[in-house]
Amino acid sequence: MKKFLTIIIVLLTFVNCSTEKADTPSTDATTKTYFPPITGTIWETKTIESLGWKPTAVQPLLDYLTQKSTKGFIILVDGKIVLEKYFNGHSANTSWYWASAGKTLTTAITGIAQQEGMVNINAKVSDYLGTGWTSLPIAKENLITNKHLLTMTSGIEDLANGDAVDPASLQYKADAGTRWAYHNVYVKLQDVIAKATKQTWSGYFNTKLRDKIGMEGSWIQMDNNSVYWSTTRSMARFGLLMLNKGKWENNTILNEAFVSEATSTSQNLNFSYGYLWWLNGKESYRLPQTQLVFKGSLVPSAPTDMYMALGKNDQKIYVIPSKNMVVVRMGEAADNANLALSDFDEVLWSKIKALYL
């Protein structure tokens, strides 16, 4: 907790010291987005020079990534690789964990199951899992919908029982929809999907998402957490799908309307949170393990339209529509262990921004 409070103080310092609006240069609307082949290792590239970016800003960025325990880093623009580097013994073929950045994969699969008529996000969780999936009184449990799990507003006690999601550990804190708190209970959506589709979670995921966009990787159960492991490029593929509003080339994987919902403010308790996606450029935000509200944007140096998949120890997918850009970072914690956001995001973006300003 002391480490977390330190992170909060540093973040507040950045917000208070930075009044500059993040630059969001627009891209050429006629530029066609490239998609790498579903199989193989071919992935077209663009040079820093062809974009009119600054080659002299590359090395400071790479030095910072090296210093901050990075393993894999990719920048895509228009779907093409502009920068791809691996550090500390990692390679393009090495898998690493997504941590909570993988929550957004659960979001995507929930949207796919809904568009197939298998799931309704506004329906009660107990419609799929039966009553007694929590230790709440039935009347309170029945208030919790799939959408509450997507938006972290289930009302479940978020600190006392850690990440445990057995019924006895899912205890009442507040009525669903009245309190935002970051909690592992979202993972029950994977059970909802499995029940609704009559398939295993990983089987449905692989068929409906992973294999359709050429991702590699697998789900691994780690204590109470279902964690996705993949290569850095697979993480970038998912970011590219989201950048293209759920389409892979001309194939609709995820409905565009759902992508828009998922990457917009989803409730009035935390303006910087969508459906398990973090949103930049909002007027305020909340963070895990606290009920404090912080004024300003999550990452002041970054474009205001950016949305983010953020995972423990600085696993990142940044999607920036205004620049038709995806940035991925995998690695160890840049500084202290953290649940999602850290001061690393702000400093990293100041160095990315130096490439194109």
Side-chain angles (χ1 to χ4, degrees):
M1 183 61 74
K2 287 182 180 178
K3 289 180 178 178
F4 185 76
L5 290 175
T6 300
I7 291 169
I8 290 175
I9 291 169
V10 174
L11 283 167
L12 282 172
T13 301
F14 276 120
V15 171
N16 292 334
C17 291
S18 177
T19 57
E20 176 190 3
K21 278 286 184 184
D23 181 80
T24 56
S26 59
T27 54
D28 184 349
T30 64
T31 301
K32 184 177 180 181
T33 299
Y34 164 81
F35 295 87
I38 298 299
T39 59
T41 59
I42 294 172
W43 198 317
E44 290 186 13
T45 62
K46 278 192 173 189
T47 65
I48 294 288
E49 291 81 4
S50 70
L51 290 168
W53 290 8
K54 300 173 184 175
T56 55
V58 173
Q59 196 56 52
L61 170 61
L62 297 181
D63 290 345
Y64 182 70
L65 291 168
T66 302
Q67 175 192 347
K68 294 299 181 178
S69 304
T70 304
K71 290 184 176 292
F73 184 80
I74 292 176
I75 296 178
L76 305 179
V77 174
D78 302 329
K80 297 182 180 180
I81 294 174
V82 175
L83 191 62
E84 180 180 26
K85 294 292 179 181
Y86 298 96
F87 311 81
N88 301 310
H90 206 74
S91 75
N93 299 316
T94 309
S95 288
W96 191 249
Y97 64 89
W98 289 39
S100 286
K103 285 180 169 65
T104 57
L105 295 172
T106 299
T107 299
I109 292 299
T110 302
I112 291 170
Q114 178 167 263
Q115 70 197 31
E116 292 191 336
M118 303 285 192
V119 167
N120 180 345
I121 66 169
N122 294 307
K124 297 179 295 185
V125 176
S126 56
D127 286 348
Y128 301 88
L129 302 186
T131 56
W133 66 276
T134 72
S135 64
L136 278 62
I138 295 301
K140 298 299 185 183
E141 182 180 275
N142 281 338
L143 295 176
I144 304 174
T145 66
N146 294 318
K147 189 172 182 179
H148 289 130
L149 300 187
L150 284 171
T151 59
M152 293 292 181
T153 57
S154 67
I156 297 290
E157 162 61 45
D158 55 301
L159 296 177
N161 301 307
D163 287 337
V165 291
D166 59 287
S169 299
L170 297 178
Q171 300 172 350
Y172 179 84
K173 185 75 174 184
D175 282 2
T178 66
R179 184 175 186 269
W180 188 92
Y182 195 81
H183 191 264
N184 195 44
V185 69
Y186 90 93
V187 79
K188 300 304 289 184
L189 283 167
Q190 298 183 4
D191 295 337
V192 168
I193 302 301
K195 290 280 189 180
T197 63
K198 297 181 173 58
Q199 298 183 43
T200 64
W201 161 253
S202 60
Y204 189 73
F205 171 84
N206 293 346
T207 301
K208 299 298 181 177
L209 178 58
R210 187 193 71 173
D211 298 346
K212 287 190 174 183
I213 65 172
M215 289 176 65
E216 298 173 345
S218 59
W219 292 93
I220 297 176
Q221 194 67 31
M222 301 174 69
D223 298 321
N224 295 300
N225 298 300
S226 179
V227 180
Y228 199 66
W229 288 69
S230 82
T231 62
T232 311
R233 281 192 172 192
S234 286
M235 206 179 210
R237 282 177 180 268
F238 179 62
L240 181 57
L241 174 73
M242 293 301 295
L243 176 68
N244 206 45
K245 302 178 181 178
K247 284 188 175 182
W248 191 264
E249 295 185 302
N250 296 317
N251 300 318
T252 298
I253 310 299
L254 181 59
N255 185 286
E256 182 177 339
F258 186 84
V259 172
S260 179
E261 285 180 32
T263 57
S264 300
T265 300
S266 58
Q267 28 61 51
N268 61 7
L269 301 167
N270 186 353
F271 294 127
S272 297
Y273 209 70
Y275 293 170
L276 306 178
W277 284 92
W278 293 88
L279 316 175
N280 204 41
K282 305 303 179 183
E283 64 188 63
S284 64
Y285 59 91
R286 294 179 186 264
L287 292 173
Q289 294 188 341
T290 176
Q291 286 296 299
L292 296 175
V293 177
F294 303 99
K295 297 297 184 183
S297 180
L298 281 167
V299 188
S301 284
T304 55
D305 67 330
M306 180 174 78
Y307 50 93
M308 302 161 278
L310 301 177
K312 182 178 180 180
N313 297 336
D314 299 307
Q315 319 312 320
K316 317 283 187 185
I317 306 175
Y318 304 108
V319 181
I320 310 95
S322 60
K323 290 189 67 62
N324 211 25
M325 181 176 176
V326 174
V327 180
V328 168
R329 187 269 183 187
M330 286 180 150
E332 304 281 3
D335 294 296
N336 295 323
N338 62 82
L339 291 176
L341 194 76
S342 75
D343 57 295
F344 171 69
D345 297 80
E346 175 67 11
V347 179
L348 175 61
W349 263 98
S350 70
K351 295 189 179 297
I352 294 171
K353 192 175 175 180
L355 291 169
Y356 60 79
L357 284 187

